[in-house]
Amino acid sequence: MLKKMLLGTLMFCSFSALSNIVVIVNPANETSVSAEEIVRIYTGRSNAFNAVNLAESLPLRAQFDEKGVGRTSAQLKAHWSKLVFTGKGTPPAELASEDAVLDFVANNPQAIGYVSAAKVTSAVKVVHTIN
């Protein structure tokens, strides 16, 4: 019985860890956003949006970096360090929680961010889903 409970818990945790990540914008923003544009935004090659990131300590941040941007968090940190050092860019602001990202995007027409799909509310618009 205990084995079955542990297996069920592990399966649930695994499923939760693999939940979809959605890229969100303010509902007033009519712009579409491709996967390529997300990479450009989060690597500093596009300033079409006011991008926000989750704090480095949050697991969803690492998932987004790898699945959404195609780089590890360490690679992105090094990339941004170089841009900052050379005066060629400023990394997206970091927010402490998904709720903070939702609030920021909901209140800023030019904002873009990401959260887990389960967190989405009607205060934001989903423009891209990352599986």
Side-chain angles (χ1 to χ4, degrees), residues 85-107:
F85 182 74
T86 60
K88 294 182 179 176
T90 303
E94 290 186 10
L95 300 177
S97 69
E98 291 180 73
D99 289 334
V101 171
L102 286 165
D103 186 53
F104 182 85
V105 172
N107 290 298

Side-chain angles (χ1 to χ4, degrees), residues 25-34 37 48-49 109-110 125-127:
V25 298
N26 184 286
N29 197 315
E30 296 297 322
T31 306
S32 64
V33 182
S34 67
E37 181 67 9
F49 288 92
Q110 286 304 112
K125 179 172 80 171
V126 174
V127 292

